[in-house]
Amino acid sequence: MTPSPSDMPPPRLVIFDMDDVLLRYDVEARRAAMGAPAGLSAAEVERRVWHSGIEDASDLGHLTPDAYLAAVAEALGVPFGREEWLRTRALAMTLDPDMLALVPRVSARVPIALLTNNGHIMREHFDALVPELRALFGPAMHVACEFGAKKPTPSVYKGVAARYGVAPQEAVMIDDKPVNVAGAREAGLRAHCFTRAGDLAAFLAEAGLGETL
């Protein structure tokens, strides 16, 4: 029988996903904005960039930022550089105020880290896109490909735990995708499938981080 969070020691590291956990990510708005200069629909951008494997290759770290941008520009048939990437990514991101309030309360009790399935281009531009998160997480902001794969590959979660000197069972992963939660659990971490800040606060309180979260 799997022990409940309250039956286990408090975690020594809490890892947060970014998109649709710390912020609301409107991927359809991003695709529409990417396609507009070329007269392409969001669905066509999805086909040319996402279904073609370009986005996945970037997330896996197989494309440098420059190679990724060049591949997107070729797929869209229009120039697409860092300025266009930043603009179209930023308009799809809305920080969650409830999470911005919760994260400092968590970090007052235990170290925290951020782990997102995004390519190296995101790592280069965290400060421009989400300075509020940089203020909360400091250097502990990671793209999964730093660890040689992407979520839900178990080695990614183990790599993050090792980076911060904790065993997998001493870490907690917070993610909105059930498949990523399952991958974290397979790696030995405790995990929570995120829907809202209030439920997360209750989960972390039960895990031993204090009832005042």
Side-chain angles (χ1 to χ4, degrees), residues 55-207:
E55 198 72 16
D56 195 50
S58 176
D59 288 351
L60 286 165
H62 296 168
L63 294 176
T64 66
D66 286 342
Y68 165 67
L69 293 169
V72 173
E74 183 177 359
L76 299 179
V78 294
F80 192 85
R82 275 177 170 75
E83 181 179 347
E84 289 78 18
W85 183 83
L86 281 166
R87 177 181 61 81
T88 56
R89 201 26 161 111
L91 65 81
M93 301 164 70
T94 304
L95 291 165
D96 183 335
D98 292 336
M99 289 299 292
L100 292 182
L102 177 60
V103 169
R105 301 200 296 270
V106 177
S107 65
R109 293 164 170 78
V110 65
I112 60 172
L114 182 152
L115 177 67
T116 179
N117 269 351
N118 277 286
H120 289 297
I121 191 168
M122 177 62 75
R123 186 184 184 194
E124 289 187 3
H125 294 293
F126 276 133
D127 289 350
L129 286 172
V130 283
E132 300 89 345
L133 296 183
R134 179 64 84 187
L136 294 174
F137 287 89
M141 297 178 70
H142 303 285
V143 291
C145 61
E146 292 176 53
F147 303 93
K150 61 184 286 191
K151 298 179 289 183
T153 304
S155 62
V156 171
Y157 307 100
K158 292 178 181 179
V160 179
R163 175 74 61 89
Y164 291 93
V166 304
Q169 63 269 25
E170 295 176 314
V172 172
M173 181 73 217
I174 312 303
D175 204 292
D176 64 297
K177 293 181 173 60
V179 66
N180 291 341
V181 169
R185 289 173 177 159
E186 183 179 347
L189 285 72
R190 284 176 273 180
H192 174 76
C193 194
F194 179 84
T195 55
R196 55 186 293 272
D199 292 342
L200 173 58
F203 170 84
L204 293 173
E206 186 181 4

Side-chain angles (χ1 to χ4, degrees), residues 25-33 42-43 46:
Y25 174 45
D26 188 345
V27 67
E28 289 303 307
R30 179 187 176 194
R31 290 169 180 157
E46 181 179 16

